[in-house]
Amino acid sequence: WPSQAIYVEAWFEAAAMESQFAFYAHPMIPLLAFHGDISIPEKWKAAKRLSDISDRLGCRIEIFYFGDNDPKGFLIPQSAWADVALWARAMSPGINLHFNRIGLNPGQEIDFAIPENPDRPGTYQWEALSDAQARGLIERVNGQIDLSRFEAVRSREQSLTTSLRAHIDQWEPPQ
């Protein structure tokens, strides 16, 4: 992450979404499933992690959130973010921390032509998205990072590892 201009994480409402995020999000992007209402210990861990990242990298931190378009789907991240941001800012007063809700947002039910939740009219569930639609939303997070910088670091690591192994292979222990 030190090679990146920003640090990003993808957070989402339900554990059932995890495999989809693991598949479509870049493997370097940390994921956090809320499992519904996120626990206080998990919120504290997130705040501590973000504070540590801010202290170590000093860059902007962007959190991208995904959840249902229903009252609980908006309340869960608002409540969680209020605590996480408060605690992270208390630990690292200069933290440059931002929260972005990517979906489902009001109006996206029209954009994606997804049906209402029949059990709760006027609400829309992430599960109603097609896989291609969910992928498009998730991959917005990938677009926030410079993949060429990750690849440059990975290439440098491989080069150094190869060089070190060659050196070790030539080394002869003292007799």
Side-chain angles (χ1 to χ4, degrees):
W1 282 103
S3 70
Q4 297 293 312
I6 66 171
Y7 172 84
V8 302
E9 291 190 7
W11 294 3
F12 41 93
E13 184 175 342
M17 300 161 72
E18 195 157 12
S19 62
Q20 203 170 35
F21 278 80
F23 191 77
Y24 291 125
H26 188 277
M28 291 297 294
I29 296 174
L31 306 176
L32 177 60
F34 277 25
H35 303 273
D37 286 314
I38 189 169
S39 69
I40 291 172
E42 282 302 314
K43 289 189 284 187
W44 175 255
K45 280 193 231 176
K48 180 74 174 118
R49 182 179 61 255
L50 297 175
S51 170
D52 291 346
I53 288 163
S54 175
D55 293 346
R56 193 172 71 248
L57 302 179
C59 65
R60 188 173 87 238
I61 297 171
E62 297 281 347
I63 303 302
F64 295 93
Y65 184 81
F66 304 81
D68 295 336
N69 180 350
D70 62 17
K72 193 82 167 154
F74 285 93
L75 183 61
I76 289 169
Q78 287 171 353
S79 171
W81 183 248
D83 290 339
V84 170
L86 177 71
W87 299 337
R89 288 183 174 116
M91 290 182 269
S92 298
I95 194 169
N96 187 355
L97 190 57
H98 304 274
F99 181 85
N100 308 279
R101 183 183 175 98
I102 301 299
L104 290 169
N105 292 315
Q108 287 178 325
E109 73 278 4
I110 297 165
D111 297 342
F112 295 125
I114 57 175
E116 267 185 334
N117 178 348
D119 297 328
R120 291 181 296 168
T123 66
Y124 303 88
Q125 305 299 291
W126 179 268
E127 295 83 2
L129 291 169
S130 71
D131 190 59
Q133 291 167 331
R135 177 183 185 175
L137 288 172
I138 295 166
E139 287 183 343
R140 287 186 189 179
V141 179
N142 296 348
Q144 301 299 311
I145 59 176
D146 185 340
L147 297 177
S148 67
R149 288 184 178 190
F150 275 137
E151 293 309 315
V153 169
R154 187 184 330 263
S155 176
R156 178 79 175 128
E157 286 175 348
Q158 288 173 342
S159 174
L160 290 171
T161 300
T162 300
S163 177
L164 181 60
R165 285 188 177 140
H167 181 74
I168 289 170
D169 289 345
Q170 294 175 3
W171 181 74
E172 299 210 12
Q175 299 293 338

